[in-house]
Amino acid sequence: MKNNENTLHFDRVALIGIGLIGSSLARVLRRDGLAGHIAVCSNTHATLDKAKELGLADGSEYDARQAVDGADLVVLCTPLGAYGRIAEVMAPGLKPGCIVTDVGSVKQCVISDVGPHVPEGCHLVPAHPVAGTEHSGPEAGFAELFHDRFCIVTPPPGTDQAAVDTVIALWKAAGSKVESMSAHHHDSVLAMTSHLPHLIAYTIVGTATDLSDHLMMEVVKYSAGGFRDFTRIAASDPVMWRDVFLSNRESVLDVLGRFTEDLTALQRAIRWGEGDKLQELFTRTREIRRGVIDAKQA
Ligand code: NAP
């Protein structure tokens, strides 16, 4: 493994999980020649075969212990609920000095589920590329996914600085803007910016599916009125999102409590015809949208 001013290069990278995010990272490694050998591990042989067919894997292993053999970089790219078991299985195969990182959407659970299995002399540097689509699987990935998007690294206090710098260099090579913060802070911020919006989308689309068949057809027909945008978010991978909510329970319940209060206040304002309250809120939220556009996040 080399990480100096001009060169970032890994002799062997192991990607555990090769879906949307894992395969996008594999494409970056291939495009920029950052890895001598890419070993891929997945849950099913069909996905391993597909990764090989797409030219994303030099070696494919069903067993995480075999996949990490000799790797200087291991990246966990599976749903969060699988992390603990994978870490336990792969731990005896980790070579001294190896960096273990991940792409999961929640970060405190990585430290608690994976951390205890990482042997002395190996380095855990959790990371979250804040980039994605509603699609899954190795065919869904593309190298440009991370370009100009944030990647948040959350190394626990005392993490080896050279290992942190290497993970930062990897995401910069992928075109990301890298920020560093505590795992706790990450989980609070993402509960609001990502997890709550997904929960709302799942709820709205779920409410629509409970309507009568006739009304449901009308909802689909006239979906461009706003519903359509929620259906895109609510089409996101069910297993991945189940694990996000279960792994970030506390922060999600916190923002959900606030959201429920605000929704009740709006309900009241509508019932009592308090147009000024509605207009005041909608004016404030319009400003937020302008801020998002100015920050080039639109
Ligand atoms: P995905 O497309 O559904 O791919 C998941 C991959 O993990 C598949 O290759 C799957 O294998 C594999 N896998 C599942 N359980 C496994 C196990 N026990 N052992 C080995 N491999 C296993 O998911 P994704 O969207 O790439 O998400 C992966 C991670 O990225 C998640 O932790 C998520 O929180 C994070 N993330 C996602 C997004 C997003 O928008 N999608 C954005 C940022 C971060 P099979 O196909 O063989 O079942």
Side-chain angles (χ1 to χ4, degrees), residues 18-21 42-44 47 77-79 86 103 105 129 131-132 136-137 240:
I18 188 79
L20 171 70
I21 304 293
S42 199
N43 213 19
T44 60
T47 298
C77 307
T78 70
I86 291 171
V103 298
S105 309
S136 306
M240 170 193 150

Side-chain angles (χ1 to χ4, degrees), residues 265-270 273-288 290:
L266 272 189
Q267 200 177 357
R268 193 177 189 284
I270 294 169
E274 296 169 338
D276 52 335
K277 282 194 181 155
L278 298 177
Q279 193 176 338
E280 188 272 326
L281 173 69
F282 302 161
T283 307
R284 270 196 292 130
T285 55
R286 199 176 217 191
E287 283 306 311
I288 296 275
R290 292 205 182 104

